[in-house]
Amino acid sequence: MYRRWILFALAIFLSIFLVACTTATTQQPQAKVTETTEIPNTKSQQLPKESAQRVVALSSLTTDIIYQLDKTKLVGITGSTLFKNDPRFKDIPHVSEGQNPPNLEKIVALKPDLVIGAEGFSNQPIQRLQQLGIPTFLTQVKSWKSLEELTKKLAKLIDADPQPLLNRYKTFLPDKLTQSPSTLVLVSQQPILAPNKNSWAGQLLAKFQAKNLAAELQGQSQIGGYVTLSAEKVVQANPEVIIVVNPPQGSSETAVLESFKKEAFWQKLQATKNNRIYIFSYYGLVNPGSIDAIEKACQQLKQDLLAAEKI
């Protein structure tokens, strides 16, 4: 169940925010990749001719960005567990819930002058809305720079000032960059999946100068930006720090960690011997999810990586 969920959740997330990065077939070091802006080609967009006043957002991250740029412009959102108990969004109509596709009739009824979708996930409803003459915009986020560029683009579309939000992003990052201990992030147990540098998680680790042991690896994982590791590879890497990702639904943190402890290789690792095992939420580290989720992940990275350095 855990394996099936994490593969499904990662596939959805990476199509929404990371948009599968093509992986090679062998685990060989690759040339360094610099951060790039990951906003789709605007030629394929149907953007509004004037500043948008009524926006429907089809992803949790764009929902949060639009709300914080100018909450008066947000007239419809997609259902998300991140906002389930958030009073900010309780009175905003939902155009979808859970894993169901957005309801086009509900969207049209809201009379939006801009619908923001997610590349790789919202393409079909966005194409249908375009046929109806509704302005649309598809987004991608798989690096810190693309998060900043997306914020600027959305601010421009709704005639808002992005600077306060961009300034807030800066507070998430460490003031002083130091080389952190060697780190391995484990997002799944069967198979063992770890993020390389082509994922949001990999990019975030790089921002904190964490030595991501999977950064340069490429493999045959079904999910772009992630590599499949054997137990032997994990033992060979022998990380000083291990970050275990707790899935958004299903097992508790304790259950996920206990499951890894049953693996024969677990007790052989220096991270285990030195008690440098940290549990992170799926949202923020693997899936950006929301601005608050990103902030919490960054705060935990600051705290745990600093603690690991002191041991």
Side-chain angles (χ1 to χ4, degrees):
M1 179 68 181
Y2 173 70
R3 175 187 178 185
R4 183 172 59 187
W5 161 252
I6 197 66
L7 284 173
F8 179 73
L10 276 170
I12 289 180
F13 162 65
L14 289 165
S15 65
I16 298 176
F17 299 103
L18 307 182
V19 184
C21 305
T22 304
T23 55
T25 57
T26 58
Q27 292 183 336
Q28 297 294 330
Q30 304 294 312
K32 184 175 181 180
V33 175
T34 58
E35 287 189 355
T36 57
T37 302
E38 302 298 341
I39 295 178
N41 188 339
T42 54
K43 291 182 179 180
S44 64
Q45 308 293 335
Q46 187 172 309
L47 301 175
K49 296 180 180 180
E50 299 178 352
S51 171
Q53 302 299 312
R54 298 181 60 82
V55 178
V56 173
L58 301 182
S59 75
S60 58
L61 181 59
T62 55
T63 293
D64 204 5
I65 292 175
I66 292 293
Y67 186 92
Q68 300 206 38
L69 288 172
D70 185 347
K71 63 183 179 182
T72 67
K73 304 291 180 64
L74 195 60
V75 299
I77 64 175
T78 184
S80 171
T81 56
L82 288 171
F83 304 141
K84 186 176 181 180
N85 298 313
D86 193 327
R88 297 178 302 165
F89 302 104
K90 68 176 183 178
D91 296 325
I92 301 177
H94 288 195
V95 298
S96 71
E97 291 293 343
Q99 298 168 5
N100 296 320
N103 187 312
L104 294 181
E105 291 184 359
K106 286 185 177 181
I107 295 176
V108 173
L110 291 170
K111 299 180 179 179
D113 52 15
L114 177 62
V115 178
I116 305 171
E119 179 70 41
F121 184 73
S122 307
N123 295 57
Q124 289 186 353
I126 287 294
Q127 289 174 3
R128 179 58 181 147
L129 291 169
Q130 287 178 347
Q131 293 171 358
L132 297 174
I134 297 175
T136 62
F137 181 60
L138 285 172
T139 67
Q140 301 176 13
V141 172
K142 61 180 180 181
S143 71
W144 194 270
K145 184 174 182 180
S146 64
L147 172 65
E148 294 175 328
E149 293 300 320
L150 175 60
T151 301
K152 294 176 186 177
K153 182 63 178 179
L154 294 180
K156 183 177 180 180
L157 288 172
I158 65 172
D159 193 23
D161 180 9
Q163 202 56 51
L165 199 48
L166 295 173
N167 290 341
R168 184 183 171 192
Y169 294 162
K170 292 178 181 178
T171 67
F172 300 170
L173 301 175
D175 297 326
K176 184 179 180 181
L177 297 177
T178 57
Q179 183 64 53
S180 299
S182 60
T183 304
L184 191 63
V185 177
L186 302 178
V187 301
S188 173
Q189 182 181 359
Q190 295 180 350
I192 302 172
L193 287 178
N196 64 19
K197 63 187 177 185
N198 296 325
S199 65
W200 166 261
Q203 290 280 324
L204 197 56
L205 289 174
K207 280 290 182 183
F208 283 80
Q209 293 294 296
K211 186 181 179 182
N212 179 13
L213 295 177
E216 302 297 328
L217 297 180
Q218 300 292 323
Q220 294 183 340
S221 168
Q222 300 174 18
I223 305 165
Y226 286 77
V227 294
T228 303
L229 301 177
S230 64
E232 291 75 18
K233 284 286 186 181
V234 175
V235 173
Q236 182 180 351
N238 197 18
E240 297 173 277
V241 170
I242 291 178
I243 293 175
V244 176
V245 175
N246 190 35
Q249 296 175 344
S251 302
S252 66
E253 291 186 5
T254 301
V256 172
L257 188 56
E258 288 299 320
S259 183
F260 271 106
K261 287 181 178 179
K262 294 177 182 179
E263 297 287 350
F265 68 83
W266 193 253
Q267 297 303 325
K268 299 177 183 179
L269 306 175
Q270 58 178 328
T272 304
K273 295 175 182 178
N274 294 326
N275 196 29
R276 296 186 185 182
I277 309 296
Y278 304 101
I279 308 294
F280 274 65
S281 170
Y282 166 82
Y283 290 112
L285 185 64
V286 176
N287 179 336
S290 70
I291 296 171
D292 286 344
I294 295 171
E295 182 176 24
K296 289 178 181 178
C298 289
Q299 289 174 342
Q300 191 173 353
L301 282 171
K302 287 180 183 178
Q303 175 183 326
D304 292 344
L305 292 179
L306 180 61
E309 288 177 352
K310 293 180 178 180
I311 296 178

